[in-house]
Amino acid sequence: MRRDAFLKSLAVLAAAGTLPMAARASTNIKMMIPANPGGGWDTTGRALGKAMTDAKVVDTVSFDNKGGAAGALGLAQFVNGSKGDPNALMVMGAVMLGGIITGKPPVSLSQATPLARLTTEYNVFVLPANSQFKNMKEVVEQLKKDPGSIKWGGGSRGSTEHIAAAMIARDAGVDPSKINYVAFRGGGEATAAILGGNVTVGGSGLSEFSEYIKTGKMKALAMTSGTRLKGVDIPTLKEQGINVEIGNWRGVYGAGGITPEQRKTLTELIIKATKSKAWAEAVEKNNWTPAVISGAEFEKFVDDDFASLRATMVKSGMV
């Protein structure tokens, strides 16, 4: 076959999506999940991996969990171990930004490559089933009397539930620096602490606690959304006279040092995966709100959200 005819054949195959996998980029993805198993990042990363393989945009996806410091430990491992790797992905989100602000790790997000935001999710605050409190009003009244007596449990320092707890204290006229916040390395640890009654109030994404709320093992107090979520019978903080609203979002970064073409290829793989049936099912099951943006728009969003979160945390006495 003549060279020009061969190239034309390749072009036709590429357009039809039938190129051999060896001719496509990034068929064996390595995904860093900077949290222990059982939390929101873990659920998101594995759901994205399944969507990518189900959509046949990649052959395989392997996962590496590295929890701690609001994702900073996983970020450091990703930055130091994946530079220039076009097959490496890392799940991240608002929690990581908060952790960077409070923890000041030796690595930064600028050493990785922004690809896409996937979802947004609001947090829910819950009580252990045997709690003495009945609602958020009672919790806040006790918080006013003795801030240290209310033990808040959730993700790492700087997580959205940590910020929300500080905002609740500030709204109630309590010094946010006096709140008793217990940080856990992953959603599984936080869940166990709540179920065991080892914390007064627990906070996390609704998807992580919904099963326990439905079975009565946890009592839902409030959502951090501005208005009630469709199909979710849990009042917002604002409904209960607490002027606090804060959302969580999750996205994906690539390794630092990849080329613009490799970045484009990875982004396209992710976008295709979010259009799959497997991803749609994960979004519905976990009560996630689709919030897909990519490229320069996502990069600007991260910069803006970092500045906004820092301002909120400074105002709440967290930094």
Side-chain angles (χ1 to χ4, degrees):
M1 181 184 289
R2 289 176 54 191
R3 183 174 180 277
D4 57 346
F6 174 71
L7 291 176
K8 286 180 180 177
S9 297
L10 277 182
V12 170
L13 286 170
T18 54
L19 271 176
M21 290 306 288
R24 300 185 214 166
S26 303
T27 60
N28 300 290
I29 294 294
K30 294 168 284 186
M31 191 175 302
M32 162 60 67
I33 300 175
N36 289 348
W41 281 347
D42 188 59
T43 304
T44 301
R46 292 177 190 277
L48 179 62
K50 183 178 188 303
M52 294 177 89
T53 53
D54 280 15
K56 295 183 168 43
V57 295
V58 301
D59 276 344
T60 64
V61 180
S62 59
F63 304 95
D64 184 11
N65 287 82
K66 181 69 175 179
L73 297 185
L75 172 63
Q77 182 173 309
F78 185 73
V79 166
N80 295 325
S82 302
K83 188 174 181 180
D85 187 346
N87 296 332
L89 294 178
M90 177 186 69
V91 181
M92 51 76 66
V95 171
M96 184 174 283
L97 302 191
I100 290 172
I101 293 167
T102 58
K104 301 178 178 63
V107 295
S108 73
L109 270 176
S110 64
Q111 293 171 271
T113 305
L115 299 176
R117 185 182 69 188
L118 301 173
T119 62
T120 189
E121 182 180 23
Y122 290 98
N123 285 19
V124 62
F125 281 110
V126 299
L127 296 169
N130 61 352
S131 173
Q132 62 177 308
F133 300 108
K134 297 183 180 63
N135 51 51
M136 185 58 86
K137 182 181 178 182
E138 292 184 1
V139 171
V140 171
E141 287 303 314
Q142 180 59 33
L143 183 70
K144 290 177 180 178
K145 293 176 186 175
D146 181 3
S149 67
I150 300 296
K151 187 184 291 186
W152 304 84
S156 302
R157 280 185 54 81
S159 63
T160 47
E161 55 267 31
H162 185 192
I163 298 170
M167 292 170 74
I168 290 170
R170 190 188 73 207
D171 187 75
V174 175
D175 182 352
S177 67
K178 289 187 169 19
I179 67 169
N180 182 2
Y181 185 82
V182 182
F184 295 96
R185 290 167 64 91
E189 292 180 13
T191 298
I194 298 162
L195 294 175
N198 297 319
V199 296
T200 313
V201 181
S204 191
L206 179 60
S207 61
E208 295 175 48
F209 291 163
S210 59
E211 172 191 342
Y212 303 101
I213 293 169
K214 288 175 184 175
T215 57
K217 294 178 179 178
M218 294 180 184
K219 295 190 287 188
L221 281 178
M223 296 294 303
T224 63
S225 53
T227 57
R228 284 207 188 196
L229 301 181
K230 184 179 179 182
V232 178
D233 189 24
I234 303 173
T236 66
L237 288 165
K238 287 189 171 183
E239 281 182 68
Q240 300 176 71
I242 302 167
N243 189 29
V244 171
E245 176 183 349
I246 184 170
N248 192 6
W249 58 267
R250 300 186 181 107
V252 190
Y253 265 55
I258 59 175
T259 67
E261 187 57 39
Q262 289 167 338
R263 178 181 182 181
K264 180 182 177 185
T265 297
L266 279 174
T267 302
E268 288 173 349
L269 296 181
I270 293 165
I271 298 303
K272 286 179 182 176
T274 62
K275 295 177 180 177
S276 69
K277 181 181 177 182
W279 182 253
E281 290 173 347
V283 167
E284 182 177 359
K285 176 184 176 182
N286 293 292
N287 288 306
W288 294 335
T289 300
V292 179
I293 57 173
S294 61
E297 184 182 5
F298 177 51
E299 192 165 358
K300 182 179 185 302
F301 168 81
V302 173
D303 289 342
D304 291 347
D305 197 52
F306 187 89
S308 176
L309 273 176
R310 182 173 179 78
T312 298
M313 292 167 79
V314 167
K315 196 174 182 181
S316 296
M318 295 177 64
V319 290

